[in-house]
Amino acid sequence: MVVYLALAIVATPAAAGPQAPVIWAFGDSLTAGYGLPPEQGFTTRLQAALRRSGVAATVRNGGVAGDTAAQARARLRWGLRGPGSPPDLVIVELGANDMLRGLPVAQARANLDAILTDLQARHIPVLIAGMRAAPNLGTHYVTAFEAMYPALAKAHHAPLYPFFLAGVAGNRALIQPDGLHPNARGVEIIVARMVPAVRTALRSRR
């Protein structure tokens, strides 16, 4: 009887600890890891950096190269069905392709607002990753585009990481030959800069 009791105790599963958070990087080629092998892409490197910092997160890649905010909006609900359960945090990194194509800022803003509204309705926390506009688009466009991100963050009470390419943009040593996308070294810098914001966003989730 004692033996059976001991075996039963050993076989009883330990109480589960807190579930490891799932992060969905929902964006364009920058989150997709364009031009890089998967192990050097943004989501893989962010996951590794978070785990080194003590956060056992899984970071899923929701980036599609070339996506505008409108195209991302069209695939949002389909993409959320993929993981099965809602992510604990969505990094929304969009707008760069709208800017590169010179699409109206009001159009990009309306689509980003719809994405954020949908995520908010599902009670999914968000970290907005901002973008800067190319200066050749003119002062009016640049000002309106760059003001879009803080305005959306304020309207949706969401944290904002002001510039996804901070520390990398303009440095040829950190950019691929296309002049647009970070190379492996650039990704490491982006990740290192973003980790504190991601950790804070995870801590503040409901």
Side-chain angles (χ1 to χ4, degrees):
M1 185 66 126
V2 175
V3 174
Y4 289 145
L5 180 58
L7 287 173
I9 293 171
V10 171
T12 302
Q19 188 174 0
V22 174
I23 301 169
W24 192 39
F26 182 59
D28 48 40
S29 56
L30 295 174
T31 48
Y34 178 87
L36 297 170
E39 65 271 15
Q40 294 179 355
F42 171 74
T43 52
T44 303
R45 302 316 305 155
L46 177 61
Q47 177 175 290
L50 286 169
R51 292 183 177 184
R52 285 196 303 271
S53 73
V55 179
T58 295
V59 183
R60 294 199 170 105
N61 193 337
V64 173
D67 254 15
T68 62
Q71 291 168 319
R73 176 184 178 183
R75 66 178 172 90
L76 174 64
R77 296 187 182 185
W78 172 82
L80 285 171
R81 287 198 296 268
S85 58
D88 297 283
L89 178 69
V90 175
I91 300 173
V92 177
E93 178 278 308
L94 291 160
N97 289 308
D98 297 76
M99 178 268 296
L100 291 171
R101 298 177 192 183
L103 298 177
V105 174
Q107 176 181 312
R109 178 169 176 164
N111 284 302
L112 283 169
D113 181 69
I115 289 169
L116 296 169
T117 298
D118 197 336
L119 292 170
Q120 190 172 34
R122 297 167 186 265
H123 306 288
I124 300 174
V126 170
L127 172 62
I128 301 171
M131 184 54 57
R132 291 182 181 170
N136 64 319
L137 291 169
T139 303
H140 178 75
Y141 190 98
V142 170
T143 300
F145 182 84
E146 295 184 359
M148 171 176 70
Y149 295 99
L152 286 168
K154 181 178 181 180
H156 290 274
H157 307 285
L160 171 67
Y161 183 77
F163 183 32
F164 184 85
L165 291 171
V168 173
N171 187 335
R172 293 184 179 180
L174 303 175
I175 298 291
Q176 296 180 42
D178 64 7
L180 296 172
H181 298 92
N183 58 25
R185 288 176 57 202
V187 169
E188 293 296 341
I189 290 171
I190 292 168
V191 165
R193 285 173 170 256
M194 282 194 72
V195 161
V198 174
R199 287 175 57 94
T200 299
L202 283 172
R203 283 196 299 268
S204 62
R205 73 189 191 278
R206 294 178 183 178

